[in-house]
Amino acid sequence: MTAYIILGAAALALTAGALCPVKLEGEYAAGKLTLLGRAGPVRLPLVGPGRRGKRPERPVGAGRGIPAPALWAVAAKSAGRAGGVLLRRVRVEVLRLRFVAGGDDPFRAVMAYARAGMAMEAIAARIEGADLSASVDLEGGAASLECRICLGIRLWGAAEAAVCFGTDFLREYFRYRRQHTEG
């Protein structure tokens, strides 16, 4: 009986963990980018205020037996299936975008406004509830952009994407090593 209780508690804990929401919140305003990750109640500053210290610089691919450009190529090849999983699972919870086109040349400002308007129409067609606005400043003011986005996914979906990426990456990595050590 005790084994059933332990198995039931473990299954409940795994299910609750898999359903835990994971969010990525990003904000760009006044030339400053802030990224914040959340996993349930845990906040993790990724970029911007609240981030402590810098990681030591280390060349990508160092000590792995594969050159960095080849490592990036293998990662790019592997990202396709994982990206598809993420696109199916990720929800855009908040999207607010404010763009003011400006500058010295009124023609360029108006053209930037038109391009931004077309891009925002395409975004609004895909994302319900997006708060988008574009305006033009013909008085010679500088262009500005403010953006806030919150992306959400369940931990299970993120784990599925990570497993897809990991298996594809390892397959491509070992294929690359086999081709370049035999020949």
Side-chain angles (χ1 to χ4, degrees), residues 14-23 38-42 153-157:
L14 286 174
T15 302
L19 296 176
C20 178
V22 177
K23 294 183 181 180
R38 290 180 185 262
V42 179
I153 189 172
R154 296 286 178 190
L155 194 57
W156 179 254

Side-chain angles (χ1 to χ4, degrees), residues 66-153:
I66 181 171
L71 189 66
W72 283 110
V74 167
K77 261 185 173 177
S78 308
R81 192 166 60 130
V85 169
L86 281 177
L87 284 176
R88 286 191 308 271
R89 303 270 191 246
V90 170
R91 297 174 323 278
V92 178
E93 297 177 358
V94 175
L95 177 60
R96 189 184 77 234
L97 186 64
R98 306 270 184 258
F99 177 70
V100 177
D104 296 336
D105 185 6
F107 174 75
R108 287 186 182 194
V110 169
M111 292 306 294
Y113 168 73
R115 286 191 295 271
M118 288 187 292
M120 287 183 186
E121 283 182 18
I123 291 170
R126 295 237 180 228
I127 300 172
E128 289 182 29
D131 181 16
L132 310 170
S133 74
S135 60
V136 64
D137 180 10
L138 297 175
E139 303 295 322
S144 68
L145 174 69
E146 293 179 11
C147 181
R148 181 171 179 347
I149 189 166
C150 181
L151 304 173
I153 189 172

Side-chain angles (χ1 to χ4, degrees), residues 23-39:
K23 294 183 181 180
L24 178 66
E25 298 175 5
E27 189 167 335
Y28 179 81
K32 294 181 182 171
L33 176 67
T34 304
L35 283 177
L36 179 70
R38 290 180 185 262

